[in-house]
Amino acid sequence: MYFVALLFVYIQTLDPIQMCNVFTVGDHGGNLPFSLNSMLETSEPTEVESKRPEAICRILEAGADYCEMEGDIRIEANSSTIFLVTSDEKIIENSTISWSIRPYPRKGINYIKKWTVKIVGNINNIQKCTQIHESPAILFSTSGYAGNLFHDFADLILPLYTTSFDFKRDVQFLASDYQPWWLSKYREILEKFTRHEIMAIDRQKQEVHCYKKMVAGLNFHKELIIDPLSVESNQSPSGLSMSNFRRLLRETYSLERTLALANRNTASKGDSITGTPHIMIITRKKTRVLMNHDEVSRAARDLGFEVILAEPEKSTNLSRFAQVVNSCDVLMGIHGAGLTNMVFLPENAIVIQVVPFGAMDWIPKVTFGDPCVDMKLQYLEYNIRVKESSLILKYSSEDPVLKDPSSIHRKGWSEMSSIYLHNQNVTIDIGRFKSTLVEALKLLSK
């Protein structure tokens, strides 16, 4: 009765939105508000000596499942279950509070392995630890959209950086949906986040790994952006920030240039190669193809740029390609994963995003425009007009696809993307585009 009364008093302090969050966030078997989980105390230490058990599973603002646990934690890979053990019989008597999560930042991907997080009071039905670890752990999935460069960084690399930051490399990564090729491709940068071997946790069928502290899921804020609240709490020069993340990338891949300059003859060591500004033009083969990239290249050369045409692929050597990107002052391309290479650009460099036709402004802005600010990059957009789009060859001038793109957006993501993202190529109006290149030169010279 005491607990019920306490819960009633707690609820009275909540506004309607908070009350909804208490009883609806996540898939959980019990109806305890998450903040009350801190009341669960361990009367005696179990196999893993620890502090009072806490399990807080919630859905982050961006929609990601995220759990933080501390106590007697046992991971049973055979059942994809994380147990947090308590012996406080006043609160839990042979009962279970549970959450069902997918440890990946984006929701709605059903092929990602589902894990269950359980607070349990009866240890008789739980297997004993076979391996006890002193370091904390982070559980995450390497499935989802891994293999797409944008999602590699936005969904995994950057969230892993922010989630593991406070552990100062003393944390073990537990990779669910293990993909060795992905971990191999990014091994150099992952080794900056952890000094431990990455464990393929799904394969540990005969083991029960035990920890005192762990995180399940990744701290995800926005696309290629670190949560500003986290940055505010880490104001030291070595704190959590996009600038320090990019500095880490430069160290990892031996990127010499820190600053882009139009007149490189006045640059410091590592920032001076020639007096000619370099532009990399990202090309594509399947969708959103730049049909006249040769003409665009010629126009850039006429204005004084040295042009590098590139088409990065899944198998591209990341270290070598990052070094080429870092040698450039401008990165240009049609909206797509290739623009993610902007993370390797020197500061003050310019990103030119070619935005496909079809009322697409908000998507390019969120994915690449907004992140440029914290990366200390300059950003320009070139918006494709209907006459520059291949869609004019498929649809009449009166068709809503051309006349009213917003009506197509209202039909949902699938309909919109199938037309404007997956079935559109562009032929840039060189005369109009030159003004964008001229603006880039002006920005570099400031």
Side-chain angles (χ1 to χ4, degrees):
M1 290 298 295
Y2 172 77
F3 178 75
V4 173
L6 178 61
L7 180 58
F8 177 78
V9 171
Y10 172 82
I11 291 173
Q12 299 305 307
T13 66
L14 303 179
D15 61 40
I17 294 177
Q18 289 174 320
M19 193 175 298
C20 289
N21 288 337
V22 165
F23 292 105
T24 62
V25 173
D27 300 322
H28 50 93
N31 284 330
L32 288 178
F34 300 138
S35 59
L36 291 185
N37 287 323
S38 60
M39 296 176 61
L40 307 179
E41 296 183 353
T42 306
S43 57
E44 294 181 5
T46 54
E47 288 182 270
V48 179
E49 191 173 337
S50 61
K51 301 177 181 179
R52 68 184 182 184
E54 296 183 4
I56 302 176
C57 287
R58 64 188 188 276
I59 297 178
L60 300 180
E61 180 184 356
D65 290 330
Y66 187 74
C67 303
E68 291 178 313
M69 290 157 275
E70 188 168 2
D72 179 356
I73 304 164
R74 309 184 190 190
I75 302 177
E76 188 180 279
N78 194 46
S79 63
S80 301
T81 304
I82 303 167
F83 295 99
L84 180 58
V85 182
T86 179
S87 58
D88 191 335
E89 296 181 358
K90 293 179 181 178
I91 298 178
I92 301 176
E93 293 184 3
N94 300 317
S95 64
T96 300
I97 305 170
S98 67
W99 295 263
S100 181
I101 69 165
R102 298 184 196 273
Y104 186 81
R106 296 185 192 274
K107 301 290 286 183
I109 308 176
N110 294 329
Y111 53 83
I112 292 172
K113 179 183 281 292
K114 186 179 289 187
W115 284 77
T116 301
V117 177
K118 290 184 178 181
I119 300 180
V120 294
N122 186 347
I123 65 172
N124 295 328
N125 297 323
I126 303 174
Q127 294 187 40
K128 293 183 178 181
C129 303
T130 60
Q131 294 192 44
I132 299 176
H133 305 267
E134 291 300 319
S135 300
I138 296 175
L139 172 72
F140 66 98
S141 172
T142 58
S143 183
Y145 299 121
N148 174 293
L149 188 67
F150 174 77
H151 290 289
D152 286 346
F153 274 87
D155 301 2
L156 290 170
I157 300 296
L158 192 59
L160 276 169
Y161 168 70
T162 59
T163 308
S164 66
F165 185 83
D166 287 337
F167 295 118
K168 303 185 188 310
R169 297 188 67 238
D170 187 20
V171 60
Q172 183 161 38
F173 287 173
L174 309 179
S176 185
D177 302 309
Y178 188 81
Q179 299 194 73
W181 64 265
W182 190 90
L183 294 164
S184 176
K185 179 173 183 177
Y186 294 104
R187 183 165 300 279
E188 292 173 284
I189 186 63
L190 293 175
E191 287 176 351
K192 297 288 186 180
F193 303 158
T194 176
R195 60 181 175 84
H196 300 280
E197 281 295 317
I198 298 173
M199 185 189 300
I201 188 63
D202 301 341
R203 300 177 184 176
Q204 302 291 306
K205 300 294 186 183
Q206 306 302 316
E207 306 289 342
V208 176
H209 289 273
C210 295
Y211 297 87
K212 297 176 183 177
K213 188 174 185 178
M214 78 170 293
V215 175
L218 296 175
N219 189 355
F220 179 85
H221 179 61
K222 290 182 180 179
E223 317 290 358
L224 297 176
I225 289 177
I226 294 176
D227 185 347
L229 294 179
S230 298
V231 176
E232 288 174 11
S233 64
N234 286 275
Q235 291 296 335
S236 67
S238 59
L240 181 65
S241 68
M242 182 56 75
S243 292
N244 287 329
F245 173 70
R246 299 221 308 135
R247 183 180 297 114
L248 195 66
L249 291 180
R250 289 197 294 270
E251 293 172 0
T252 302
Y253 298 116
S254 301
L255 309 181
E256 295 183 353
R257 299 179 67 227
T258 60
L259 186 66
L261 298 169
N263 185 358
R264 301 189 182 193
N265 293 327
T266 62
S268 59
K269 183 179 179 181
D271 290 326
S272 180
I273 301 176
T274 70
T276 304
H278 289 56
I279 182 172
M280 174 180 282
I281 300 175
I282 301 289
T283 60
R284 300 170 58 93
K285 285 182 180 178
K286 297 179 180 178
T287 61
R288 283 159 279 151
V289 178
L290 179 56
M291 302 300 291
N292 61 335
H293 61 75
D294 287 339
E295 292 179 61
V296 173
S297 299
R298 193 178 306 117
R301 290 191 188 97
D302 290 344
L303 289 171
F305 284 102
E306 181 162 325
V307 178
I308 300 171
L309 282 175
E311 186 177 353
E313 298 178 342
K314 186 176 179 179
S315 60
T316 298
N317 182 288
L318 187 61
S319 180
R320 286 199 292 268
F321 195 77
Q323 291 169 12
V324 177
V325 175
N326 183 253
S327 73
C328 295
D329 305 284
V330 180
L331 181 69
M332 173 211 159
I334 300 175
H335 172 76
L339 286 175
T340 312
N341 286 287
M342 69 187 193
V343 297
F344 305 121
L345 286 171
E347 291 182 5
N348 202 48
I350 297 170
V351 176
I352 301 176
Q353 181 170 201
V354 178
V355 179
F357 172 79
M360 300 289 292
D361 301 18
W362 69 272
I363 301 173
K365 181 179 183 298
V366 168
T367 50
F368 299 112
D370 292 345
C372 280
V373 177
D374 288 344
M375 292 188 196
K376 298 181 181 178
L377 300 174
Q378 304 183 81
Y379 178 71
L380 295 174
E381 276 188 3
Y382 179 84
N383 291 280
I384 292 297
R385 294 177 179 173
V386 65
K387 291 183 179 180
E388 298 169 284
S389 170
S390 63
L391 294 175
I392 61 172
L393 303 176
K394 300 179 182 180
Y395 301 93
S396 70
S397 59
E398 296 302 311
D399 193 289
V401 168
L402 301 182
K403 193 172 184 179
D404 186 16
S406 295
S407 66
I408 306 300
H409 282 256
R410 288 193 291 273
K411 294 181 179 180
W413 174 265
S414 179
E415 182 78 10
M416 181 280 294
S417 61
S418 68
I419 295 172
Y420 299 117
L421 292 178
H422 303 315
N423 285 287
Q424 177 178 192
N425 298 326
V426 304
T427 302
I428 285 178
D429 180 334
I430 299 300
R432 190 165 72 91
F433 184 65
K434 277 186 177 180
S435 62
T436 302
L437 293 174
V438 170
E439 178 65 18
L441 285 172
K442 289 179 180 178
L443 290 174
L444 284 172
S445 63
K446 288 183 178 179

